[in-house]
Amino acid sequence: MSKKISNDQRPTFSKRAVITAGMPYGNKALHFGHIGGVFVHADVYARFLRDRLGKDNVIFVSGTDCYGSPIAESYRLLKESGAFNDSIEDYVKQNHLAQKQTLANYHIAIDNFAASGLDSAKDIHQKVTDKFIQTLYENGWLDKLTTSQFYDAKAECFLNGRQVIGKCPIEGCSSEKAYADECDLGHQYMPEDLIDPKSTLSNETPEMRKVTNWYFRLTDFNELLNKYVDDIANKDNIRPLVPITMRESLLKPLIYVRKEGLQTYLKIKDSLPRHSADLDNIKNSFIITFDDLTAREEACVILTANQIRYRTGKTLVPLRLTGNIEWGVKAPELEGIKDLTVWVWPESLWAPISFTIDLLLKKGKDSASWKDWWCDSDSQVFQFIGQDNIYFYGIAQMAMFMATQGKSDLSIYPENGQLTLTNLVANHHILFLDKKASSSSAIKPPMAKDLLEYYTAEQLRAHFLGLALNQKSVSFQPKPLNPIANENEQDPVLKEGNLFTNVLNRLVRSCFYTAQKYDDGILPYGSISAEVLTEAKDTIIAYEWAMYKLDLHNINNILDTYIRQANKYWVRNITIAEKENNEILRKQTLIDAFHMVKTACLLAHPIACIGTEMVREYLGIDERFFSWDYAFNDLYLFLKEPTKHQLKFLEPKVDFFEKHPSQFK
């Protein structure tokens, strides 16, 4: 039987899709935030799209971010302490392999978890980097600028970004750490604006010395980026967090002046570049607005000379592409400037393209076939990231991708053959016990692998998805790791997983055991009740729309309602059938329940992949079971002999969706 569904009831997906997940640095193992804040969400969506579009039409790539000052600094400290004696490449590879194993332990079905500085992806990434920067240069979007860089006179060396610690100069920033030109919340600023800088090598205040680097003319993209933000803000499959956060960086250059500097400002205001000042309703500070970044920088010099306290506001600044850190991707030689390396953030933005090429080559595809995925209107790229990275992926990446279109007439609607402007799927912070936790903060996060000592991967996958990080920051509160947890209260981490380990597990087992008891394990054959078909159809469509809109937390709610209703339907009807010894009702209930199991497993497959695959195995059905081409069909479509299909025998007390052994203590 087949239920015809009108296409206008359903969302439209692209023919192909690329999924990426934020790249973890190569100086650490994965903590719970990497898994719970990014990778689980990306994997669930990738698994859904494989079922929805066909597995050959979906690519899921990510990898270890191998280069940059955080890795170089971590390696230096370990080397100096004697804790690690091999090369920096060995150090990164050790962490890369550990990350890869953790992803596998969480059932993250990534097609290529590569590494920007290791193995086959290394050379590919170097070539992609050369081509990308060369294209930006040829299109006229790079400037050669001589700027100041921190120099430690005592250590007699230039300092990389992580070897300088200070306070973020951006007004309102709550960062605990600010580095040379970026704080740990992702704010960008010029190095000379960093407040109270200190060298991590000597703890001395570093000097500023001149260096020449290549910068991307990001400030020229303000108007185009505003147009892009206006466009995506009206789309129902773009999370509001993305355009809201992007707008914060598209303001005109601002300076926030402390109110005690008002009188001095009034005396010198005519010496400042052209500006406007908001002097009404002054509380702690007042705002000075400039037409461009150059005017603001000139004003900063004058304000500093007059001992006026101030902080700058978020705005676009030139994006530095190159530097002099030794451990990095080599930058192409341009205008005779050589021996530079690429700053880690820009090259990590196109690294997923490198990983895509690496994957396709391993599959025997042509090296140019990556364009079918990244430069084609039939394909869409979904990039799963944390909110702190929206500046880079939303501002810097979008502008650079548009800049590859040419020298002028750039568009937010790329033509075929031009780089796609990606769909950023950003999550809010995932907290730990109500505190923001990161490896660089005072609150240390639990390592992802350690959580598997208390929970199964599927329990954690369901919980992380259910936190609704697309809506707000939420705390992860595992009872075994919470020192103030109430012993008598349920572990909040188990809430979503119980739907599978308790309710769905019970329904599936009941179906198999009943078929074995009354029908010798033969799948019952017959027409499914109309109300059961209708409920399944409505649930499938609601689920599909939730996926289209990237409301991933809502699929838990949809599943919860459907599975609990299915279980109630089973308990009510089978109880009556048993009590009345009604064979007709028993058979109909079993027919209906198996259809509910089929629907529930299709929808649960992206989350509880191991348990649902086990159900498919015991049903004796091939992989079409999870194809959305047959989402509205019944089980009999898959069977050669539907009237006498033998189910795999289910031994007593076998669970399809398992609890962790520690939960039985």
Side-chain angles (χ1 to χ4, degrees), residues 489-526:
E489 292 183 356
Q490 183 181 352
D491 187 340
V493 175
L494 297 178
K495 176 179 177 291
E496 294 83 3
N498 284 341
L499 177 67
F500 303 114
T501 59
N502 292 349
V503 189
L504 183 56
N505 192 61
R506 184 166 57 245
L507 176 62
V508 179
R509 282 162 46 111
S510 297
C511 287
F512 276 89
Y513 290 144
T514 302
Q516 289 171 185
K517 180 179 179 180
Y518 293 102
D519 302 300
D520 295 324
I522 300 296
L523 180 71
Y525 180 80

mmCIF file of all heavy atoms in Angstrom, residues 489-526:
data_model
loop_
_atom_site.group_PDB
_atom_site.id
_atom_site.type_symbol
_atom_site.label_atom_id
_atom_site.label_comp_id
_atom_site.label_asym_id
_atom_site.label_seq_id
_atom_site.Cartn_x
_atom_site.Cartn_y
_atom_site.Cartn_z
ATOM 1 N N GLU A 489 16.753 12.737 42.663
ATOM 2 C CA GLU A 489 16.204 13.249 41.418
ATOM 3 C C GLU A 489 16.797 12.520 40.223
ATOM 4 O O GLU A 489 17.922 12.022 40.270
ATOM 5 C CB GLU A 489 16.478 14.757 41.298
ATOM 6 C CG GLU A 489 15.702 15.587 42.308
ATOM 7 C CD GLU A 489 15.944 17.081 42.127
ATOM 8 O OE1 GLU A 489 16.774 17.449 41.258
ATOM 9 O OE2 GLU A 489 15.318 17.868 42.853
ATOM 10 N N GLN A 490 16.031 12.475 39.142
ATOM 11 C CA GLN A 490 16.476 11.797 37.926
ATOM 12 C C GLN A 490 17.620 12.567 37.279
ATOM 13 O O GLN A 490 17.694 13.790 37.346
ATOM 14 C CB GLN A 490 15.315 11.676 36.938
ATOM 15 C CG GLN A 490 15.659 10.926 35.663
ATOM 16 C CD GLN A 490 14.476 10.854 34.712
ATOM 17 O OE1 GLN A 490 13.368 11.222 35.053
ATOM 18 N NE2 GLN A 490 14.713 10.393 33.502
ATOM 19 N N ASP A 491 18.504 11.844 36.649
ATOM 20 C CA ASP A 491 19.602 12.464 35.902
ATOM 21 C C ASP A 491 19.013 13.181 34.688
ATOM 22 O O ASP A 491 18.396 12.546 33.824
ATOM 23 C CB ASP A 491 20.583 11.379 35.445
ATOM 24 C CG ASP A 491 21.845 11.949 34.818
ATOM 25 O OD1 ASP A 491 21.831 13.120 34.386
ATOM 26 O OD2 ASP A 491 22.849 11.209 34.756
ATOM 27 N N PRO A 492 19.176 14.510 34.585
ATOM 28 C CA PRO A 492 18.571 15.234 33.456
ATOM 29 C C PRO A 492 19.111 14.810 32.099
ATOM 30 O O PRO A 492 18.445 14.989 31.076
ATOM 31 C CB PRO A 492 18.919 16.706 33.750
ATOM 32 C CG PRO A 492 20.071 16.660 34.698
ATOM 33 C CD PRO A 492 19.886 15.416 35.512
ATOM 34 N N VAL A 493 20.299 14.231 32.076
ATOM 35 C CA VAL A 493 20.887 13.812 30.807
ATOM 36 C C VAL A 493 20.125 12.626 30.203
ATOM 37 O O VAL A 493 20.156 12.411 28.994
ATOM 38 C CB VAL A 493 22.382 13.464 30.997
ATOM 39 C CG1 VAL A 493 23.000 12.903 29.729
ATOM 40 C CG2 VAL A 493 23.155 14.705 31.445
ATOM 41 N N LEU A 494 19.408 11.872 31.040
ATOM 42 C CA LEU A 494 18.720 10.672 30.567
ATOM 43 C C LEU A 494 17.315 10.946 30.040
ATOM 44 O O LEU A 494 16.673 10.043 29.497
ATOM 45 C CB LEU A 494 18.637 9.635 31.687
ATOM 46 C CG LEU A 494 19.976 9.095 32.199
ATOM 47 C CD1 LEU A 494 19.748 8.118 33.343
ATOM 48 C CD2 LEU A 494 20.748 8.427 31.074
ATOM 49 N N LYS A 495 16.837 12.157 30.182
ATOM 50 C CA LYS A 495 15.451 12.478 29.838
ATOM 51 C C LYS A 495 15.111 12.085 28.402
ATOM 52 O O LYS A 495 14.143 11.358 28.153
ATOM 53 C CB LYS A 495 15.192 13.969 30.048
ATOM 54 C CG LYS A 495 13.797 14.434 29.635
ATOM 55 C CD LYS A 495 13.625 15.928 29.912
ATOM 56 C CE LYS A 495 12.266 16.425 29.437
ATOM 57 N NZ LYS A 495 12.143 16.419 27.969
ATOM 58 N N GLU A 496 15.890 12.563 27.437
ATOM 59 C CA GLU A 496 15.582 12.287 26.029
ATOM 60 C C GLU A 496 15.876 10.833 25.667
ATOM 61 O O GLU A 496 15.132 10.209 24.910
ATOM 62 C CB GLU A 496 16.392 13.224 25.128
ATOM 63 C CG GLU A 496 16.023 14.694 25.236
ATOM 64 C CD GLU A 496 16.695 15.394 26.411
ATOM 65 O OE1 GLU A 496 17.504 14.737 27.116
ATOM 66 O OE2 GLU A 496 16.427 16.588 26.627
ATOM 67 N N GLY A 497 16.960 10.301 26.199
ATOM 68 C CA GLY A 497 17.318 8.923 25.876
ATOM 69 C C GLY A 497 16.316 7.907 26.374
ATOM 70 O O GLY A 497 16.170 6.818 25.780
ATOM 71 N N ASN A 498 15.607 8.235 27.468
ATOM 72 C CA ASN A 498 14.604 7.309 28.005
ATOM 73 C C ASN A 498 13.488 7.021 27.003
ATOM 74 O O ASN A 498 12.839 5.971 27.065
ATOM 75 C CB ASN A 498 14.000 7.869 29.295
ATOM 76 C CG ASN A 498 14.941 7.733 30.472
ATOM 77 O OD1 ASN A 498 15.884 6.935 30.442
ATOM 78 N ND2 ASN A 498 14.708 8.507 31.524
ATOM 79 N N LEU A 499 13.253 7.963 26.087
ATOM 80 C CA LEU A 499 12.242 7.737 25.060
ATOM 81 C C LEU A 499 12.598 6.499 24.234
ATOM 82 O O LEU A 499 11.710 5.731 23.829
ATOM 83 C CB LEU A 499 12.139 8.961 24.145
ATOM 84 C CG LEU A 499 11.153 8.844 22.973
ATOM 85 C CD1 LEU A 499 9.722 8.771 23.494
ATOM 86 C CD2 LEU A 499 11.322 10.016 22.016
ATOM 87 N N PHE A 500 13.885 6.292 24.019
ATOM 88 C CA PHE A 500 14.329 5.147 23.228
ATOM 89 C C PHE A 500 14.556 3.920 24.095
ATOM 90 O O PHE A 500 14.076 2.827 23.771
ATOM 91 C CB PHE A 500 15.612 5.505 22.468
ATOM 92 C CG PHE A 500 15.458 6.704 21.575
ATOM 93 C CD1 PHE A 500 16.143 7.882 21.827
ATOM 94 C CD2 PHE A 500 14.612 6.660 20.482
ATOM 95 C CE1 PHE A 500 15.991 8.985 21.011
ATOM 96 C CE2 PHE A 500 14.452 7.760 19.655
ATOM 97 C CZ PHE A 500 15.144 8.931 19.923
ATOM 98 N N THR A 501 15.299 4.078 25.201
ATOM 99 C CA THR A 501 15.644 2.919 26.029
ATOM 100 C C THR A 501 14.442 2.352 26.764
ATOM 101 O O THR A 501 14.425 1.150 27.094
ATOM 102 C CB THR A 501 16.734 3.290 27.047
ATOM 103 O OG1 THR A 501 16.268 4.359 27.884
ATOM 104 C CG2 THR A 501 18.012 3.723 26.353
ATOM 105 N N ASN A 502 13.452 3.174 27.029
ATOM 106 C CA ASN A 502 12.254 2.693 27.733
ATOM 107 C C ASN A 502 11.068 2.494 26.786
ATOM 108 O O ASN A 502 10.626 1.382 26.548
ATOM 109 C CB ASN A 502 11.861 3.669 28.846
ATOM 110 C CG ASN A 502 12.872 3.685 29.978
ATOM 111 O OD1 ASN A 502 13.761 2.842 30.047
ATOM 112 N ND2 ASN A 502 12.763 4.656 30.864
ATOM 113 N N VAL A 503 10.573 3.584 26.223
ATOM 114 C CA VAL A 503 9.289 3.540 25.512
ATOM 115 C C VAL A 503 9.394 2.815 24.168
ATOM 116 O O VAL A 503 8.665 1.850 23.910
ATOM 117 C CB VAL A 503 8.736 4.964 25.317
ATOM 118 C CG1 VAL A 503 7.298 4.891 24.776
ATOM 119 C CG2 VAL A 503 8.767 5.747 26.619
ATOM 120 N N LEU A 504 10.280 3.283 23.283
ATOM 121 C CA LEU A 504 10.386 2.643 21.969
ATOM 122 C C LEU A 504 10.920 1.223 22.093
ATOM 123 O O LEU A 504 10.455 0.312 21.395
ATOM 124 C CB LEU A 504 11.286 3.475 21.044
ATOM 125 C CG LEU A 504 11.418 2.955 19.606
ATOM 126 C CD1 LEU A 504 10.051 2.804 18.940
ATOM 127 C CD2 LEU A 504 12.324 3.871 18.787
ATOM 128 N N ASN A 505 11.862 1.033 22.974
ATOM 129 C CA ASN A 505 12.415 -0.308 23.189
ATOM 130 C C ASN A 505 11.310 -1.290 23.594
ATOM 131 O O ASN A 505 11.241 -2.412 23.091
ATOM 132 C CB ASN A 505 13.498 -0.255 24.267
ATOM 133 C CG ASN A 505 14.305 -1.537 24.331
ATOM 134 O OD1 ASN A 505 14.947 -1.925 23.370
ATOM 135 N ND2 ASN A 505 14.270 -2.196 25.483
ATOM 136 N N ARG A 506 10.434 -0.829 24.486
ATOM 137 C CA ARG A 506 9.333 -1.680 24.947
ATOM 138 C C ARG A 506 8.362 -1.993 23.814
ATOM 139 O O ARG A 506 7.900 -3.132 23.670
ATOM 140 C CB ARG A 506 8.610 -0.980 26.100
ATOM 141 C CG ARG A 506 7.488 -1.808 26.733
ATOM 142 C CD ARG A 506 7.050 -1.215 28.065
ATOM 143 N NE ARG A 506 6.621 0.159 27.960
ATOM 144 C CZ ARG A 506 7.252 1.195 28.533
ATOM 145 N NH1 ARG A 506 8.359 1.000 29.237
ATOM 146 N NH2 ARG A 506 6.787 2.420 28.407
ATOM 147 N N LEU A 507 8.054 -1.003 22.984
ATOM 148 C CA LEU A 507 7.124 -1.214 21.877
ATOM 149 C C LEU A 507 7.690 -2.209 20.862
ATOM 150 O O LEU A 507 6.986 -3.133 20.429
ATOM 151 C CB LEU A 507 6.826 0.124 21.187
ATOM 152 C CG LEU A 507 5.937 0.058 19.940
ATOM 153 C CD1 LEU A 507 4.554 -0.480 20.293
ATOM 154 C CD2 LEU A 507 5.833 1.430 19.281
ATOM 155 N N VAL A 508 8.953 -2.031 20.500
ATOM 156 C CA VAL A 508 9.553 -2.918 19.501
ATOM 157 C C VAL A 508 9.628 -4.352 20.030
ATOM 158 O O VAL A 508 9.271 -5.312 19.337
ATOM 159 C CB VAL A 508 10.950 -2.417 19.090
ATOM 160 C CG1 VAL A 508 11.580 -3.376 18.069
ATOM 161 C CG2 VAL A 508 10.878 -1.011 18.506
ATOM 162 N N ARG A 509 10.103 -4.500 21.250
ATOM 163 C CA ARG A 509 10.187 -5.841 21.851
ATOM 164 C C ARG A 509 8.809 -6.510 21.900
ATOM 165 O O ARG A 509 8.671 -7.705 21.592
ATOM 166 C CB ARG A 509 10.776 -5.745 23.258
ATOM 167 C CG ARG A 509 12.281 -5.579 23.291
ATOM 168 C CD ARG A 509 12.750 -5.055 24.655
ATOM 169 N NE ARG A 509 12.137 -5.737 25.765
ATOM 170 C CZ ARG A 509 12.775 -6.566 26.606
ATOM 171 N NH1 ARG A 509 14.059 -6.821 26.422
ATOM 172 N NH2 ARG A 509 12.149 -7.114 27.611
ATOM 173 N N SER A 510 7.806 -5.735 22.289
ATOM 174 C CA SER A 510 6.453 -6.291 22.392
ATOM 175 C C SER A 510 5.956 -6.802 21.049
ATOM 176 O O SER A 510 5.316 -7.868 20.965
ATOM 177 C CB SER A 510 5.486 -5.233 22.931
ATOM 178 O OG SER A 510 5.842 -4.847 24.240
ATOM 179 N N CYS A 511 6.258 -6.062 19.986
ATOM 180 C CA CYS A 511 5.833 -6.485 18.655
ATOM 181 C C CYS A 511 6.481 -7.817 18.273
ATOM 182 O O CYS A 511 5.805 -8.746 17.785
ATOM 183 C CB CYS A 511 6.187 -5.414 17.625
ATOM 184 S SG CYS A 511 5.143 -3.939 17.703
ATOM 185 N N PHE A 512 7.783 -7.912 18.488
ATOM 186 C CA PHE A 512 8.491 -9.141 18.116
ATOM 187 C C PHE A 512 8.044 -10.327 18.976
ATOM 188 O O PHE A 512 7.780 -11.425 18.453
ATOM 189 C CB PHE A 512 10.002 -8.936 18.234
ATOM 190 C CG PHE A 512 10.615 -8.308 17.013
ATOM 191 C CD1 PHE A 512 10.699 -6.928 16.890
ATOM 192 C CD2 PHE A 512 11.091 -9.093 15.979
ATOM 193 C CE1 PHE A 512 11.251 -6.346 15.764
ATOM 194 C CE2 PHE A 512 11.649 -8.525 14.848
ATOM 195 C CZ PHE A 512 11.725 -7.136 14.738
ATOM 196 N N TYR A 513 7.967 -10.110 20.284
ATOM 197 C CA TYR A 513 7.585 -11.218 21.158
ATOM 198 C C TYR A 513 6.150 -11.687 20.892
ATOM 199 O O TYR A 513 5.848 -12.886 20.954
ATOM 200 C CB TYR A 513 7.743 -10.816 22.627
ATOM 201 C CG TYR A 513 9.189 -10.671 23.053
ATOM 202 C CD1 TYR A 513 9.564 -9.680 23.961
ATOM 203 C CD2 TYR A 513 10.182 -11.522 22.567
ATOM 204 C CE1 TYR A 513 10.885 -9.543 24.365
ATOM 205 C CE2 TYR A 513 11.499 -11.388 22.962
ATOM 206 C CZ TYR A 513 11.855 -10.395 23.860
ATOM 207 O OH TYR A 513 13.165 -10.260 24.252
ATOM 208 N N THR A 514 5.259 -10.751 20.569
ATOM 209 C CA THR A 514 3.869 -11.126 20.271
ATOM 210 C C THR A 514 3.784 -11.916 18.962
ATOM 211 O O THR A 514 3.054 -12.923 18.868
ATOM 212 C CB THR A 514 2.982 -9.867 20.188
ATOM 213 O OG1 THR A 514 3.061 -9.163 21.435
ATOM 214 C CG2 THR A 514 1.526 -10.234 19.914
ATOM 215 N N ALA A 515 4.539 -11.461 17.954
ATOM 216 C CA ALA A 515 4.553 -12.195 16.682
ATOM 217 C C ALA A 515 5.131 -13.590 16.871
ATOM 218 O O ALA A 515 4.664 -14.564 16.250
ATOM 219 C CB ALA A 515 5.360 -11.415 15.648
ATOM 220 N N GLN A 516 6.136 -13.709 17.728
ATOM 221 C CA GLN A 516 6.728 -15.022 17.988
ATOM 222 C C GLN A 516 5.776 -15.931 18.766
ATOM 223 O O GLN A 516 5.698 -17.138 18.517
ATOM 224 C CB GLN A 516 8.043 -14.856 18.769
ATOM 225 C CG GLN A 516 9.169 -14.263 17.928
ATOM 226 C CD GLN A 516 10.419 -13.893 18.709
ATOM 227 O OE1 GLN A 516 11.340 -13.332 18.175
ATOM 228 N NE2 GLN A 516 10.448 -14.219 19.999
ATOM 229 N N LYS A 517 5.012 -15.349 19.666
ATOM 230 C CA LYS A 517 4.116 -16.136 20.512
ATOM 231 C C LYS A 517 2.919 -16.663 19.735
ATOM 232 O O LYS A 517 2.513 -17.831 19.906
ATOM 233 C CB LYS A 517 3.638 -15.280 21.685
ATOM 234 C CG LYS A 517 2.700 -16.008 22.628
ATOM 235 C CD LYS A 517 2.291 -15.100 23.793
ATOM 236 C CE LYS A 517 1.336 -15.817 24.736
ATOM 237 N NZ LYS A 517 0.924 -14.933 25.889
ATOM 238 N N TYR A 518 2.350 -15.828 18.868
ATOM 239 C CA TYR A 518 1.093 -16.204 18.226
ATOM 240 C C TYR A 518 1.236 -16.600 16.749
ATOM 241 O O TYR A 518 0.364 -17.282 16.216
ATOM 242 C CB TYR A 518 0.086 -15.049 18.321
ATOM 243 C CG TYR A 518 -0.369 -14.781 19.738
ATOM 244 C CD1 TYR A 518 0.162 -13.714 20.462
ATOM 245 C CD2 TYR A 518 -1.324 -15.600 20.340
ATOM 246 C CE1 TYR A 518 -0.248 -13.459 21.762
ATOM 247 C CE2 TYR A 518 -1.737 -15.348 21.646
ATOM 248 C CZ TYR A 518 -1.197 -14.284 22.357
ATOM 249 O OH TYR A 518 -1.603 -14.045 23.646
ATOM 250 N N ASP A 519 2.315 -16.145 16.082
ATOM 251 C CA ASP A 519 2.402 -16.351 14.627
ATOM 252 C C ASP A 519 3.729 -16.977 14.211
ATOM 253 O O ASP A 519 4.127 -16.841 13.041
ATOM 254 C CB ASP A 519 2.219 -15.009 13.899
ATOM 255 C CG ASP A 519 0.893 -14.359 14.231
ATOM 256 O OD1 ASP A 519 -0.140 -14.981 13.960
ATOM 257 O OD2 ASP A 519 0.902 -13.226 14.768
ATOM 258 N N ASP A 520 4.425 -17.621 15.141
ATOM 259 C CA ASP A 520 5.696 -18.282 14.839
ATOM 260 C C ASP A 520 6.718 -17.319 14.230
ATOM 261 O O ASP A 520 7.545 -17.690 13.393
ATOM 262 C CB ASP A 520 5.482 -19.457 13.879
ATOM 263 C CG ASP A 520 4.646 -20.568 14.507
ATOM 264 O OD1 ASP A 520 4.807 -20.797 15.729
ATOM 265 O OD2 ASP A 520 3.836 -21.171 13.787
ATOM 266 N N GLY A 521 6.662 -16.065 14.647
ATOM 267 C CA GLY A 521 7.636 -15.077 14.179
ATOM 268 C C GLY A 521 7.403 -14.594 12.769
ATOM 269 O O GLY A 521 8.311 -14.014 12.146
ATOM 270 N N ILE A 522 6.189 -14.797 12.228
ATOM 271 C CA ILE A 522 5.852 -14.309 10.886
ATOM 272 C C ILE A 522 5.282 -12.890 11.015
ATOM 273 O O ILE A 522 4.417 -12.636 11.853
ATOM 274 C CB ILE A 522 4.817 -15.223 10.199
ATOM 275 C CG1 ILE A 522 5.371 -16.644 10.057
ATOM 276 C CG2 ILE A 522 4.427 -14.657 8.839
ATOM 277 C CD1 ILE A 522 6.576 -16.756 9.157
ATOM 278 N N LEU A 523 5.763 -11.985 10.167
ATOM 279 C CA LEU A 523 5.236 -10.624 10.169
ATOM 280 C C LEU A 523 3.763 -10.655 9.775
ATOM 281 O O LEU A 523 3.417 -11.188 8.715
ATOM 282 C CB LEU A 523 6.021 -9.747 9.190
ATOM 283 C CG LEU A 523 5.569 -8.283 9.080
ATOM 284 C CD1 LEU A 523 5.941 -7.513 10.345
ATOM 285 C CD2 LEU A 523 6.199 -7.615 7.859
ATOM 286 N N PRO A 524 2.865 -10.110 10.605
ATOM 287 C CA PRO A 524 1.436 -10.153 10.266
ATOM 288 C C PRO A 524 1.155 -9.314 9.018
ATOM 289 O O PRO A 524 1.727 -8.239 8.838
ATOM 290 C CB PRO A 524 0.761 -9.553 11.501
ATOM 291 C CG PRO A 524 1.810 -8.689 12.121
ATOM 292 C CD PRO A 524 3.110 -9.384 11.871
ATOM 293 N N TYR A 525 0.282 -9.829 8.166
ATOM 294 C CA TYR A 525 -0.016 -9.156 6.899
ATOM 295 C C TYR A 525 -1.460 -8.678 6.898
ATOM 296 O O TYR A 525 -2.370 -9.389 7.318
ATOM 297 C CB TYR A 525 0.196 -10.105 5.722
ATOM 298 C CG TYR A 525 -0.102 -9.478 4.380
ATOM 299 C CD1 TYR A 525 0.831 -8.650 3.773
ATOM 300 C CD2 TYR A 525 -1.321 -9.707 3.734
ATOM 301 C CE1 TYR A 525 0.563 -8.070 2.553
ATOM 302 C CE2 TYR A 525 -1.600 -9.122 2.516
ATOM 303 C CZ TYR A 525 -0.653 -8.296 1.916
ATOM 304 O OH TYR A 525 -0.925 -7.711 0.712
ATOM 305 N N GLY A 526 -1.654 -7.427 6.396
ATOM 306 C CA GLY A 526 -3.007 -6.902 6.302
ATOM 307 C C GLY A 526 -3.000 -5.394 6.125
ATOM 308 O O GLY A 526 -1.945 -4.750 6.074
#
